[in-house]
Amino acid sequence: MAYEFEDKCAVTRAISLAATNSVGLAFYVCMVLYGLGRHKYYLSDYSYKEFLKYDYLDWIQAFITLAISKISICLLLLRLSKFSKLKTVIYALLGFIIAVVFSILTDFVGAALPIFLLWNVKIKMQNKLAIWSLMGFGIM
């Protein structure tokens, strides 16, 4: 009975991993519909823009899935550990993982902001993509 809460958490983690993998699969289906596997030359501007959108979203969900997996492993190690020093190290590792994931997510959001700023600006798509790339990488 002492581990009932942890077991329910493990089931919840498994369900969340399955859900994020399903979301990733849905993003790949959308990317195939908009040109995954075809050369950019053969894609319309709209298809390429939609492809990039779903590719970007897929990267975000991939980082979330990896973070959930790492946190799940750390929680399992906490449950198995009998040593207080090891538990302290695992808690520190958990905090580090959460901080890194938060940092990565804020980087993705910050890199996406130029897309929304230039969305309705009347310039060529090629110029928009160049500006988005430069601003996203922090060069401009």
Side-chain angles (χ1 to χ4, degrees):
M1 291 304 262
Y3 293 112
E4 184 175 332
F5 176 74
E6 287 87 357
D7 291 338
K8 288 180 182 175
C9 288
V11 171
T12 304
R13 288 189 303 270
I15 291 170
S16 65
L17 282 172
T20 55
N21 286 332
S22 299
V23 168
L25 179 62
F27 287 146
Y28 265 97
V29 169
C30 290
M31 286 190 296
V32 167
L33 293 175
Y34 288 110
L36 179 67
R38 285 194 252 153
H39 195 278
K40 181 182 178 274
Y41 176 79
Y42 299 108
L43 300 178
S44 67
D45 286 341
Y46 176 76
S47 293
Y48 187 62
K49 199 176 355 177
E50 290 298 307
F51 167 77
L52 288 177
K53 177 176 71 174
Y54 288 111
D55 185 46
Y56 194 79
L57 292 171
D58 182 56
W59 273 102
I60 292 172
Q61 77 80 29
F63 282 117
I64 291 171
T65 303
L66 287 172
I68 291 171
S69 300
K70 291 175 183 181
I71 289 169
S72 177
I73 291 168
C74 286
L75 292 175
L76 173 70
L77 292 174
L78 273 175
R79 182 176 169 185
L80 296 176
S81 176
K82 294 181 177 162
F83 305 107
S84 63
K85 288 183 181 180
L86 183 59
K87 285 185 179 187
T88 305
V89 170
I90 294 172
Y91 279 123
L93 182 60
L94 271 171
F96 180 74
I97 291 170
I98 292 169
V100 167
V101 168
F102 181 74
S103 174
I104 289 171
L105 289 178
T106 55
D107 287 346
F108 270 112
V109 170
L113 288 177
I115 294 171
F116 299 112
L117 291 172
L118 297 173
W119 193 262
N120 293 321
V121 176
K122 305 243 187 246
I123 58 175
K124 289 182 187 177
M125 177 56 71
Q126 183 178 7
N127 291 342
K128 279 186 186 181
L129 291 173
I131 293 170
W132 288 339
S133 299
L134 292 173
M135 289 179 80
F137 290 127
I139 297 170
M140 191 170 172

